[in-house]
Every structure is written in structure tokens, then in C-alpha cells.
Amino acid sequence: MEHTQLKENVDMLRLENKNRREDWVLLKHHLEAFKLICEDQEEETSDLQTQQQQVGQEFEKLEGSLQVLLKQKEKITQEKDLAEKLQHHFEVFQMSEKLIHELEQATAQDDILLQKEMLNQEPPSEPNLQEILDYDALSPYYFISCV
């Protein structure tokens, strides 16, 4: 009876050993699958980190480009302001030239009219020598009357 009892215990232990080996094989299989999943996750994490670094670098480039564009915009604005000032000065200059031209024409017309009037008038009589001697030579009235 002890022998039967021992035999049953050995059978039970063998069955338990077999179950444990099956569990061991199953655990080994799951461990390999888990390792593959971890490797995939590590690779994916590495890819995401690489992408994040690339995005960071692109962002820095875009910030640099933005700064360059802002400086160009400021320069263009300054050039536009300068061009507007130059345009204003040019317009003033053109108006000045037009006024000068009109003034020259008016002066020329006045000169022509004055010359015509002078031609139509009788020439002033020559002062005689006695009149000249009668006036004080340094008198301003003498010079005005002669003129």
C-alpha cells in the first residue's frame, strides 16, 4: 500500500513536472515574443526621437528664415519710405523748375514790354554842362535825376 501510495505520488509529480515544463516552454515563447515587442518599441521610440530632432532642426531653420524675412521686410519698408520721400522731393523739384520756367517767361515778357515801352518813349534829353555844374556832384538828387 505504501508502494502504491508512492507510485501515485511519483505519477502525480511526473504529471506536475510535465505541466511545469509545458508552462516553461510557453513562458519561453511568451518571453521571446515580449522581447520582439520591446525591440519594436525601442526602434519606434528611436525613430520618434529622430523625427523629433529633425522637427526641432526644421523649427530652428524656420525661425532663422523668419528672422531673415523680418529683417528684409524692415529694410524694404525703409526703402519704401525713402522712395516716397524722394518722390515727394522730386515732385517739389519739378514744381520749382516749372515755377522758375514760368518766372523766366514772365521776366522775358516784362523785358520785352519794357523794351517796347522804351522804344516808344522819347529819349531823355541830355543834360547840358551848365546844369551839371549847378548841381553838387556828390548830391544823391543829381544821380537820381540823371538816371
Side-chain angles (χ1 to χ4, degrees):
M1 185 159 165
E2 270 182 45
H3 184 50
T4 307
Q5 184 81 21
L6 281 175
K7 195 174 178 185
E8 284 177 9
N9 281 343
V10 167
D11 285 340
M12 193 169 61
L13 286 173
R14 282 186 182 154
L15 182 61
E16 197 175 305
N17 189 24
K18 180 183 173 194
N19 287 338
R20 304 244 171 176
R21 284 183 189 208
E22 287 174 358
D23 287 346
W24 174 254
V25 169
L26 190 59
L27 282 173
K28 259 177 113 174
H29 176 72
H30 287 303
L31 179 64
E32 289 298 318
F34 184 70
K35 282 182 180 178
L36 288 174
I37 290 171
C38 286
E39 287 175 4
D40 287 345
Q41 288 295 321
E42 285 176 3
E43 189 175 313
E44 190 175 317
T45 301
S46 175
D47 289 346
L48 288 174
Q49 287 174 341
T50 302
Q51 287 177 355
Q52 185 179 12
Q53 287 174 348
Q54 289 173 347
V55 167
Q57 290 171 350
E58 288 297 319
F59 182 74
E60 288 176 9
K61 287 179 185 177
L62 288 174
E63 277 186 331
S65 296
L66 178 62
Q67 293 301 322
V68 168
L69 289 174
L70 287 174
K71 287 179 183 178
Q72 287 177 348
K73 179 185 173 192
E74 183 179 338
K75 184 178 178 182
I76 288 171
T77 302
Q78 290 173 349
E79 289 175 355
K80 179 185 169 202
D81 292 344
L82 179 61
E84 288 173 355
K85 287 178 184 177
L86 288 174
Q87 177 68 30
H88 175 72
H89 289 302
F90 180 71
E91 289 170 357
V92 168
F93 174 74
Q94 282 182 325
M95 288 180 2
S96 298
E97 280 194 337
K98 183 179 177 183
L99 289 174
I100 289 171
H101 180 69
E102 289 174 3
L103 183 61
E104 287 174 347
Q105 283 181 339
T107 303
Q109 288 175 353
D110 287 348
D111 286 347
I112 291 171
L113 287 174
L114 186 60
Q115 286 176 0
K116 284 182 181 179
E117 285 179 19
M118 290 177 70
L119 288 175
N120 291 336
Q121 290 181 355
E122 294 181 12
S125 61
E126 291 289 323
N128 64 31
L129 189 53
Q130 187 59 41
E131 288 176 354
I132 294 174
L133 293 175
D134 289 340
Y135 286 108
D136 182 7
L138 299 177
S139 168
Y141 300 112
Y142 170 72
F143 288 112
I144 291 173
S145 66
C146 289
V147 174

